[in-house]
Amino acid sequence: MRTIGELRAALTMGYGFADDADDFEAELAREINHADPADLSGVVRLVEEFRGRVIARQDPSLNSALAAAVAETRSARESARENDR
């Protein structure tokens, strides 16, 4: 993804997280509308953030880490419920 167009395409095809495509477009519009033409650092930051989200979402180890975190959270909640009884 070397261009904003490629990033948009990846987000539109669902390579990011849920609602990333809509969030990117809304935040990009907001950044552009409030940016000083001589300082587009907010736009650069936004593009880097969403590019990172697409890359992270495609990383198989992320899915494993998320599944482990969900399992750990569920286990902690169940333990807390048992202790409350």
Side-chain angles (χ1 to χ4, degrees), residues 1-18:
M1 289 175 297
R2 293 181 294 176
T3 68
I4 292 175
E6 289 173 348
L7 177 57
R8 278 181 164 147
L11 292 170
T12 300
M13 291 187 310
Y15 288 111
F17 293 93

Side-chain angles (χ1 to χ4, degrees), residues 27-75:
E27 291 183 38
L28 180 62
R30 190 171 23 259
E31 285 293 335
I32 290 172
N33 289 335
H34 293 95
D36 177 335
D39 180 15
L40 297 176
S41 59
V43 173
V44 171
R45 178 204 51 78
L46 182 69
V47 169
E48 289 172 348
E49 176 187 337
F50 277 87
R51 181 182 292 137
R53 291 173 65 88
V54 169
I55 292 167
R57 185 65 175 97
Q58 301 311 305
D59 184 350
S61 63
L62 175 71
N63 289 330
S64 298
L66 288 173
V70 167
E72 184 177 323
T73 301
R74 286 182 178 155
S75 176

